[in-house]
Amino acid sequence: REEQDLETFIEPSWIQPLEPGKIVPAIVLDVNKEAAQLKIGQYRAELTDRGFTWTRRKSPAQLFEVGDLLQVRVKEVNEQHQTAEVTLEQTPLVEGALIAIENRTGHVLAMVGGYDFGRSKFNRATQALRQLGSTFKAILYSAAIDSGYTSSSIIIDEPVTYDLGPEQPPYEPTNYDNEFVGPITLRRALEKSRNVPAVAVIAELGPESVVTYAQRFGFSSPLPPVLSLALGAGETSLQEITSAYSVFPNQGVRMRPYQILKVTDRESKVLEENRPEPNDVIRPDTAFILTNLLRGVVIRGTAIRAGQIDWPLAGKTGTVDDFTDASFIGFDPDITVGVWVGHDEKKPLGPNEEGARAALPIWIEFMKSHIALKNERPEFSTPGNIIFLSIDGETGNVTNKPSRGTITEAFIAGTEPSVMFSH
């Protein structure tokens, strides 16, 4: 474009107020080795190497030409001089989704279906069916608790081969680190997201019974009755797995998710109204045990990054084979929030782009904003038949000798281990 064309060029989005945090288009008026001069409506901005460090280019001339239309993020705006401080942005190749559900009612408080509605109308929070990954382990271990396991039950993490029947190759599950730790408590197996113990549990319970159990949590898509279901082989939407997790902080009750409260016509006649619809899924004591286990994931496990927030939080990371999908589903006493990151086509995000790295940071930022609106600190409700004991985190044994590895464990009354202190 000629210089005069650039000065008179108008981008439709420039009619909106320019505010810090916004991502807006900017046109390049001039480029030299030190900076690119940009126009954003009536504002001018200078983009130096500090604003595009992530590109690994040293000079603006290596990236831009006069007349280019860029995406920039506004950091500061000086109204007096009509200038702005900006950094370079890029439309991402990956997609993402987020949904927040109020535990008590099922009301969907927030939803993001993708990066840009203009780019794609497909809602990845409700329409996309993706593999569950390790987020299914919370459902599996809930079934285990209801079948007699406790948080301190020992499971063996060792090489194992399962015979799947005639003309079927043997199944040999592995852990993400390709290592085995031997005897491990159910708690540590969940906190560290160990795969082999999870498969051992589903093998003992029976895949068919686990599928039947899981259906109570509201999964509408068929779940395969196979051993690999323990590692998230089934597919569901982000809304369904997030709704399923809301059962834990809501004392075992799942509220049907709904987005619209009420629709009325111009005469205020109610055309549609949604009310909370409760569904009893598991007992309150089982729900509390799972909440307590998932709090450990945040305090000591794969989501320890969220443990830096001084707030009652719990949740589980999820990563699909070859790092194709990353997710984190977590909650506090009031809301349950699910985050998914991935491509629309099933392909890797990149090396080590797991749930804790790709999805958890988004969840943390959302929860910080949620917490900032709260005046009082909520707490998870504890049923009257829950007993707390001091447990050795490695062995699962009751101990009266506090140490670095000692944790306070929750048990349903009657399932707690015997107290055998040595003197």
Side-chain angles (χ1 to χ4, degrees):
R1 297 185 181 94
E2 295 181 1
E3 183 175 344
Q4 184 62 34
D5 291 334
L6 298 181
E7 288 292 347
T8 58
F9 174 77
I10 297 176
E11 222 292 326
S13 64
W14 288 344
I15 65 173
Q16 301 294 327
L18 196 65
E19 300 171 346
K22 275 192 171 182
I23 297 176
V24 297
I27 195 164
V28 179
L29 299 178
D30 186 42
V31 182
N32 56 44
K33 293 182 179 180
E34 283 72 38
Q37 305 301 322
L38 311 178
K39 170 190 171 183
I40 310 171
Q42 60 187 348
Y43 297 87
R44 295 295 184 269
E46 186 176 72
L47 185 60
T48 65
D49 57 355
R50 290 184 301 175
F52 55 84
T53 305
W54 57 270
T55 67
R56 299 182 182 177
R57 299 292 192 276
K58 295 182 179 180
S59 169
Q62 295 177 297
L63 291 168
F64 319 123
E65 294 182 357
V66 172
D68 284 349
L69 196 63
L70 316 177
Q71 291 286 325
V72 296
R73 180 182 294 274
V74 179
K75 296 184 67 178
E76 293 184 13
V77 177
N78 187 317
E79 294 290 352
Q80 181 179 357
H81 297 94
Q82 291 199 314
T83 59
E85 183 180 344
V86 299
T87 58
L88 182 66
E89 283 288 324
Q90 183 181 50
T91 301
L93 297 176
V94 300
E95 279 289 354
L98 179 148
I99 189 167
I101 299 175
E102 188 174 45
N103 300 331
R104 184 177 53 85
T105 65
H107 184 207
V108 175
L109 303 176
M111 180 187 294
V112 177
Y115 172 74
D116 185 352
F117 188 72
R119 183 168 83 171
S120 169
K121 308 296 189 291
F122 185 63
N123 190 333
R124 293 152 192 84
T126 59
Q127 295 176 295
L129 297 180
R130 308 304 291 241
Q131 282 191 306
L132 289 157
S134 289
T135 59
F136 187 77
K137 289 174 181 173
I139 311 299
L140 169 65
Y141 286 129
S142 179
I145 295 297
D146 269 347
S147 299
Y149 281 78
T150 71
S151 302
S152 63
S153 292
I154 296 296
I155 311 169
I156 306 302
D157 181 9
E158 64 182 9
V160 61
T161 300
Y162 293 96
D163 183 4
L164 302 183
E167 301 182 2
Q168 294 288 328
Y171 179 49
E172 299 179 351
T174 59
N175 295 308
Y176 65 93
D177 57 4
N178 293 314
E179 296 181 359
F180 304 92
V181 299
I184 187 173
T185 63
L186 183 149
R187 169 177 287 283
R188 286 183 61 83
L190 180 61
E191 289 178 354
K192 301 301 182 181
S193 201
R194 308 297 293 178
N195 290 339
V196 174
V199 176
V201 169
I202 198 172
E204 181 170 338
L205 299 180
E208 294 83 1
S209 66
V210 172
V211 167
T212 301
Y213 185 92
Q215 288 171 341
R216 291 153 49 180
F217 284 80
F219 298 112
S220 59
S221 302
L223 298 175
V226 295
L227 295 177
S228 58
L229 176 62
L231 311 183
E235 294 184 342
T236 191
S237 69
L238 182 65
Q239 177 172 277
E240 284 193 348
I241 184 61
T242 305
S243 176
Y245 266 61
S246 71
V247 168
F248 303 132
N250 202 39
Q251 303 179 63
V253 178
R254 174 181 170 270
M255 308 301 290
R256 180 187 65 84
Y258 63 93
Q259 300 166 25
I260 298 172
L261 295 175
K262 183 187 295 185
V263 178
T264 61
D265 62 15
R266 65 181 64 185
E267 297 174 350
S268 299
K269 179 182 178 181
V270 177
L271 303 178
E272 177 186 341
E273 185 173 9
N274 285 297
R275 299 178 183 275
E277 294 182 14
N279 297 276
D280 291 332
V281 178
I282 55 178
R283 301 193 315 264
D285 50 13
T286 301
F288 180 82
I289 296 297
L290 263 294
T291 295
N292 197 45
L293 284 167
L294 292 169
R295 292 191 75 179
V297 176
V298 171
I299 297 170
R300 292 175 295 273
T302 55
I304 194 170
R305 196 167 168 181
Q308 300 172 4
I309 305 174
D310 183 21
W311 198 256
L313 300 173
K316 183 70 185 74
T317 51
T319 308
V320 176
D321 290 346
D322 300 323
F323 304 105
T324 57
D325 299 81
S327 59
F328 185 80
I329 317 296
F331 52 83
D332 76 352
D334 297 322
I335 66 171
T336 301
V337 180
V339 174
W340 168 84
V341 176
H343 294 280
D344 285 338
E345 297 179 5
K346 197 170 182 63
K347 59 182 180 180
L349 287 165
N352 300 317
E353 290 296 333
E354 56 194 7
R357 180 173 176 178
L360 180 60
I362 300 171
W363 187 89
I364 289 174
E365 288 305 308
F366 183 90
M367 290 303 292
K368 284 181 177 178
S369 298
H370 159 70
I371 292 167
L373 299 175
K374 295 292 182 179
N375 295 321
E376 296 182 3
R377 180 188 179 96
E379 295 296 340
F380 294 110
S381 179
T382 306
N385 65 333
I386 295 296
I387 294 175
F388 294 94
L389 294 174
S390 184
I391 296 292
D392 184 307
E394 294 289 337
T395 66
N397 294 329
V398 180
T399 178
N400 63 346
K401 298 178 180 179
S403 65
R404 186 175 182 181
T406 301
I407 61 174
T408 300
E409 190 59 89
F411 298 92
I412 299 171
T415 69
E416 68 274 17
S418 300
V419 179
M420 297 179 62
F421 294 141
S422 58
H423 298 281

